[in-house]
Amino acid sequence: MSESRLLVVTGGNRGIGRQIALSAVDAGWRVAISYGSNRKLADDMASSSDGRIKAFALDVTAPNSIAHFFEEIEMSMGPAQALVTAAGIDNGPRAITDVDHDFVHSTFAVNVVGLILCSREFAARAAATGNGGVVVNMSSMAATIGGRAGKSVYAASKGAVDVFTIGAAKELAPHGISLFSVRPGVTRTDMTSALLDDPTTKAAIEATIACGAVAEPVDISRPVIDLISGKFNYASGSMLNLGGGGFIT
């Protein structure tokens, strides 16, 4: 793979997005990652990457910030060949009877609206170059079951990601732009460490997964790197379940 290839990863400074960025560097890509409130995490990644990772500010809830983010990347690193939309929010469990406007709106503003606008920005630039590209949208296994207890709003936002991916794949195919939706199950990251450090909670979660284990970040990043390679472009519009065989209870 040519070292000139550039991947953009929103939410690339932590969690699954971080591992995708690191795995991409190992595969020969240069990577642009976003940071929101925690710039230090992004700067630490960039400083230890021998110049292969650069960090840029992004607020996915602000359209002007999204446009500026992609402009800064292009000016600093050149045109991108792939995008992974890993920026997301999980507001935690909440019963439907307790859901309010802010809870729903904040979830969809990041997970759906921000993701769509980032995809739009990348697609517009990729179409203009005529060289095509690949978008991998991070969804969730929650979309397949409506979410675990109290997580129907989160699951609905990820279901929207899947439907957008299918529709956008049809529209952007003539431009040589492929789109995929990747659905991780429960994955061990800094965001889930407190949950999984409790042996009882961890065992209860693993009992619901067919293979009996939660995912490690590399279990998610490896297939994503394959998708952005272009090897699977004829499968554009596909959903990839990364849930250890699926939910059994």
Side-chain angles (χ1 to χ4, degrees):
M1 178 180 295
S2 169
E3 291 196 351
S4 66
R5 285 196 176 185
L6 173 63
L7 168 66
V8 178
V9 184
T10 66
N13 67 329
R14 63 183 303 186
I16 291 172
R18 173 186 172 86
Q19 185 58 58
I20 290 170
L22 295 175
S23 294
V25 168
D26 289 341
W29 291 75
R30 294 176 299 123
V31 184
I33 62 172
S34 72
Y35 64 85
S37 59
N38 196 330
R39 179 171 182 171
K40 185 178 185 305
L41 286 175
D43 285 345
D44 287 347
M45 285 181 65
S47 63
S48 62
S49 71
D50 294 325
R52 300 196 63 79
I53 296 176
K54 292 187 178 182
F56 301 84
L58 173 65
D59 177 356
V60 296
T61 67
N64 289 341
S65 177
I66 293 172
H68 184 69
F69 173 70
F70 281 91
E71 288 169 2
E72 287 288 299
I73 291 171
E74 191 162 303
M75 287 189 294
S76 176
M77 303 182 76
Q81 286 72 49
L83 166 68
V84 174
T85 58
I89 187 173
D90 183 350
N91 283 324
R94 187 171 300 191
I96 292 296
T97 52
D98 295 328
V99 163
D100 57 25
H101 175 273
D102 289 346
F103 183 87
V104 177
H105 185 270
S106 61
T107 301
F108 274 73
V110 174
N111 293 355
V112 183
V113 179
L115 178 146
I116 290 174
L117 293 181
C118 286
S119 298
R120 184 276 312 271
E121 196 68 32
F122 172 84
R125 294 171 183 276
T129 66
N131 294 324
V134 181
V135 177
V136 176
N137 290 321
M138 299 306 295
S139 178
S140 169
M141 286 295 290
T144 68
I145 62 166
R148 295 175 185 267
K151 301 297 284 292
S152 59
V153 172
Y154 174 79
S157 74
K158 294 303 185 177
V161 169
D162 291 345
V163 173
F164 167 72
T165 299
I166 294 169
K170 297 176 185 178
E171 183 176 334
L172 294 173
H175 298 285
I177 301 170
S178 301
L179 288 92
F180 303 93
S181 179
V182 169
R183 297 163 165 168
V186 178
T187 305
R188 186 187 300 279
T189 68
D190 60 304
M191 292 175 278
T192 60
S193 60
L195 189 71
L196 297 176
D197 284 346
D198 182 321
T200 301
T201 302
K202 179 175 179 287
I205 292 172
E206 290 180 333
T208 70
I209 302 171
C211 73
V214 299
E216 298 297 328
V218 294
D219 295 323
I220 312 303
S221 67
R222 287 170 182 159
V224 170
I225 301 307
D226 283 340
L227 289 175
I228 64 173
S229 72
K231 297 175 183 176
F232 298 95
N233 283 351
Y234 203 73
S236 183
S238 297
M239 314 291 107
L240 180 59
N241 291 345
L242 299 177
F247 295 108
I248 57 175
T249 56

